[in-house]
Amino acid sequence: METGYEGPSYAELARRASDALASALSAGLLGEEDTAAVVYDLDGLDNRFQLICDSFPPGALHAVAVKAAPMAALLSRLVAQGSGLEAASLPELHMALAAGCPPERIVFDSPAKTSAELREAVQLGVHLNADNFQELKRLDGIVTQPFQGPGSLGLRVNPQVGLGSIAATSVAGEYSKFGEPVSKRGEIVDAFVRRPWLTGLHMHVGSQGCGLDLFTRAARILLDLRRDIHAACGHERISRLDIGGGLPVRYTPDQDVPSMGEYAAALRRECPELFAPGLRMFTEFGRWVFASQAFAVSRVEYVKEQPGFCTAVVHLGADMFLRPCYAPETWRHEIVAAGPDGALKSGPNGPWNVAGPLCFSGDFPAKSRALPDLSPGDFLIFLDAGAYTMAMWSRYNSRQMPVVLGLEEGRPRVLKKRETLEQVLAFWK
Ligand SMILES: *Cc1c(COP(=O)(O)O)cnc(C)c1O
């Protein structure tokens, strides 16, 4: 079993990104107006998903979180490999269907499902995780009894194990807007006793910033809750335990993150029931699947010098790097520079501010970075940009979403074209 981070070094990542950029340029895939692009390594994505499958029991359902990277070409590729998809909204549910995901491999989570959405999801036969007791009451009027799949219904429980290092993406503190807190144990058990169709428990501890200990303690709490539910029901009721996603990834060379194999090993040790027959494990990884498998690249449009400051003006700012711009102390991408042909640049490493294209003064995807001398026409490559980047695209200033490329055996092709002006105009109509 592998230990620790299982990916290439940053020097190797930079080299691969530069090679990919150079081949995209020489293949003519990046035209004059393609001022930015996101490039996914499709073979790498396949490997990532395979690592999840190899780490957990064969019967587990790995529902990859759509919200992390909602590009249709990526979703359908994962589905073709046997993945499920986790949808956090009705449109995401339909994106999962459109990607060819059979309903029985779709997990529908959302804290604000309407009655119509609940009816549709139940009719389709997806796995639905109710967020709260009121949602269960609505489902009482929708679920026909006896309920017989192909989907299933579960309840999201906040295991209240505490926050990770990033409060904004931690959801298992004493208080959370998600799920019912495990402190309402009696009510939760009662909700299960009264509903024979309720057969799943769901948790999601947080995203990035959470250690293995938090995940395994949370799963332990859910398994103990399951035991109490079984005792109260007088039979084995919970056949599905959804451990959510959230496994952190590396964004900087000094970050130490666990591998998927280590996560699975820790669960096997602390929560052996998850690996025993009679209980199907669901996972909902997003960031871990996508983040390291793409880089974003922008052309340097202008370079500005002012005493004490060098600024490179690029075409990706808070429209794509929302979190790095608004919470730079928490979110950061490694950046390397390439020349107009894609070849990596080296040289004096003065501090550079990287300024985005948007009209507001906080639009800096990076500040004070050690980068080589830059000129207009160079490229800046943002590494580990595969998750929560395009996904968080902001319409502020109405710039066009960049082209998305995919690499297969080193060869690039277009996965999603640059947004057209017409599409932008249509959006606001
Ligand atoms: C966001 C989310 C995920 C995915 O989280 P990652 O950190 O991307 O793995 C999974 N499940 C739920 C319920 C989520 O909200």
Side-chain angles (χ1 to χ4, degrees):
M1 180 165 305
E2 80 280 12
T3 57
Y5 176 71
E6 60 271 85
S9 70
Y10 272 95
E12 172 66 10
L13 271 185
R15 197 189 58 72
R16 289 188 195 176
S18 152
D19 285 354
L21 175 60
S23 21
L25 287 165
S26 54
L29 294 178
L30 297 179
E32 179 61 21
E33 286 310 299
D34 286 306
T35 51
V38 180
V39 185
Y40 277 88
D41 177 351
L42 299 175
D43 301 312
L45 193 65
D46 295 351
N47 291 340
R48 236 27 209 171
F49 180 67
Q50 211 48 54
L51 272 172
I52 300 179
C53 297
D54 293 347
S55 302
F56 292 100
L61 177 69
H62 302 296
V64 174
V66 170
K67 71 172 190 259
M71 275 68 74
L74 303 180
L75 302 182
S76 56
R77 187 172 180 104
L78 288 166
V79 167
Q81 288 197 54
S83 94
L85 292 173
E86 188 259 357
S89 68
L90 188 71
E92 283 190 359
L93 196 159
H94 281 269
M95 287 152 67
L97 291 170
C101 194
E104 65 271 20
R105 284 179 9 213
I106 297 177
V107 178
F108 185 29
D109 299 330
S110 150
K113 306 179 200 79
T114 66
S115 294
E117 289 172 357
L118 292 172
R119 272 194 300 278
E120 182 172 344
V122 169
Q123 258 163 26
L124 275 168
V126 304
H127 299 281
L128 187 157
N129 287 318
D131 177 80
N132 57 63
F133 296 137
Q134 288 180 359
E135 193 178 331
L136 287 181
K137 286 217 178 73
R138 285 193 190 179
L139 284 165
D140 286 335
I142 292 170
V143 174
T144 51
Q145 303 205 47
F147 180 72
Q148 49 213 162
S152 64
L153 296 119
L155 176 67
R156 178 162 182 172
V157 171
N158 171 9
Q160 295 179 295
V161 283
L163 302 179
S165 63
I166 307 174
T169 55
S170 294
V171 290
E174 269 306 296
Y175 169 80
S176 166
K177 77 166 189 162
F178 296 103
E180 290 291 354
V182 71
S183 56
K184 294 190 181 175
R185 199 176 202 85
E187 273 177 87
I188 294 172
V189 170
D190 191 47
F192 278 85
V193 169
R194 284 188 285 121
R195 296 181 178 88
W197 45 264
L198 199 53
T199 56
L201 280 171
H202 174 224
M203 69 174 203
H204 174 66
V205 174
S207 188
Q208 195 66 5
C210 299
L212 285 191
D213 172 61
L214 219 52
F215 292 118
T216 51
R217 277 195 292 128
R220 188 65 258 156
I221 286 168
L222 252 66
L223 286 166
D224 294 345
L225 176 63
R226 173 177 183 253
R227 189 199 49 214
D228 293 355
I229 291 169
H230 288 181
C233 292
H235 62 270
E236 299 258 316
R237 169 70 74 70
I238 310 294
S239 55
R240 168 167 75 90
L241 202 130
D242 185 338
I243 63 169
L247 195 64
V249 301
R250 179 191 69 160
Y251 284 103
T252 56
D254 57 330
Q255 262 170 351
D256 188 24
V257 293
S259 70
M260 191 55 79
E262 285 173 333
Y263 181 21
L267 281 174
R268 207 180 274 272
R269 205 167 48 239
E270 311 288 331
C271 308
E273 303 98 307
L274 275 176
F275 295 77
L279 186 58
R280 190 173 187 211
M281 194 198 305
F282 283 37
T283 69
E284 304 173 344
F285 298 107
R287 186 185 305 278
W288 193 89
V289 176
F290 295 108
S292 57
Q293 299 309 315
F295 65 88
V297 57
S298 169
R299 204 165 64 208
V300 175
E301 197 63 49
Y302 295 105
V303 165
K304 303 171 83 168
E305 290 188 38
Q306 197 176 320
F309 297 96
C310 288
T311 305
V313 180
V314 301
H315 291 278
L316 293 172
D319 40 11
M320 182 149 89
F321 294 117
L322 225 77
R323 283 170 172 164
C325 287
Y326 285 100
E329 63 294 342
T330 309
W331 303 98
R332 165 194 174 98
H333 293 273
E334 289 297 301
I335 298 176
V336 293
D341 57 354
L344 287 178
K345 289 186 85 162
S346 55
N349 288 307
W352 282 87
N353 284 344
V354 180
L358 304 185
C359 288
F360 92 101
S361 60
D363 188 31
F364 287 94
K367 271 189 164 168
S368 279
R369 289 298 181 94
L371 289 168
D373 281 348
L374 296 170
S375 310
D378 285 341
F379 288 102
L380 287 186
I381 296 172
F382 299 74
L383 298 171
D384 299 310
Y388 301 100
T389 44
M390 284 291 269
M392 301 192 79
W393 185 261
S394 158
R395 293 257 71 133
Y396 179 58
N397 278 190
S398 300
R399 289 175 55 96
Q400 291 153 266
M401 288 177 95
V403 63
V404 180
L405 305 180
L407 291 168
E408 231 169 345
E409 292 171 16
R411 275 190 301 278
R413 64 183 160 88
V414 174
L415 298 182
K416 180 178 182 295
K417 289 186 188 155
R418 170 163 45 98
E419 198 174 20
T420 63
L421 276 177
E422 291 70 29
Q423 286 170 323
V424 176
L425 295 181
F427 178 85
W428 289 115
K429 240 178 222 166

